[in-house]
Amino acid sequence: MLLGFLLFYVGAVLFLNGLWLMGKIEDREIVVINVVSGLVAAGVVVQGAFGSGADMQTVRAAALTLMFSTTYFWVAYNRVAAVDGRGLGWFSLFVAISTVPVFLRAISAAGSPAEIWLAGNWLIWGVLWFMYFLLLALGRPILRPTAWVTLLAGIVTGWLPGFLLLDGLM
């Protein structure tokens, strides 16, 4: 259930950040969903890493989830501080590289459609973080495609599966 809760907010923040990158939401306004989603992800991290049932698997998942939480808080900070985002861009490269072994491990161990879907999510998220690196750290002119990939990733990897998990349909 916690995964559905987390993914639902990942979907919301990616969808809205995609709209923000398209210029449909103001910088100051996008802070709210990034802080809320950062808090949701941070709560999952605390539960997984430090909760009573913490084990090697939950701590690993918490470490990976913290990459999401950090990204959302960093986006919010950048909007409040009005900085250019180069630091977030370089962090995004670190995260994109980190998703490669996560994807490879997940796809090689996948034994069900749900596990294949989750592995595919890591691939999509890795591509998305790499696009943020190119956009923010290197200044490549890919704002529009990055906005669309962000929005669509929000629907496919977050909102839809999160909603289905919360409703017990997946």
Side-chain angles (χ1 to χ4, degrees):
M1 189 57 78
L2 213 49
L3 179 60
F5 179 65
L6 174 62
L7 287 175
F8 191 75
Y9 279 89
V10 167
V13 74
L14 290 178
F15 181 81
L16 291 170
N17 280 342
L19 290 174
W20 164 65
L21 289 169
M22 291 176 188
K24 308 278 186 208
I25 298 173
E26 287 186 37
D27 279 359
R28 293 181 313 222
E29 197 172 13
I30 201 63
V31 171
V32 174
I33 191 63
N34 279 280
V35 169
V36 168
S37 298
L39 288 170
V40 167
V44 171
V45 167
V46 169
Q47 174 66 28
F50 306 108
S52 61
D55 60 20
M56 200 162 54
Q57 291 290 65
T58 64
V59 171
R60 179 180 180 277
L64 297 173
T65 302
L66 190 54
M67 295 187 303
F68 290 85
S69 185
T70 302
T71 300
Y72 306 144
F73 283 132
W74 206 325
V75 169
Y77 170 79
N78 285 354
R79 296 309 85 207
V80 171
V83 295
D84 65 10
R86 282 181 290 166
L88 176 57
W90 286 104
F91 175 72
S92 296
L93 176 62
F94 166 80
V95 177
I97 292 168
S98 298
T99 64
V100 173
V102 176
F103 164 72
L104 293 173
R105 180 180 183 184
I107 199 70
S108 69
S112 70
E115 290 172 341
I116 293 169
W117 159 81
L118 186 55
N121 282 357
W122 280 105
L123 179 61
I124 293 167
W125 294 327
V127 167
L128 187 56
W129 264 305
F130 188 71
M131 291 178 81
Y132 296 147
F133 162 69
L134 294 174
L135 179 69
L136 298 171
L138 301 184
R140 299 288 160 85
I142 59 167
L143 179 61
R144 189 114 179 115
T146 303
W148 276 106
V149 171
T150 302
L151 186 144
L152 294 172
I155 295 168
V156 173
T157 69
W159 174 78
L160 183 59
F163 188 84
L164 293 172
L165 284 166
L166 287 173
D167 267 4
L169 300 172
M170 188 170 139

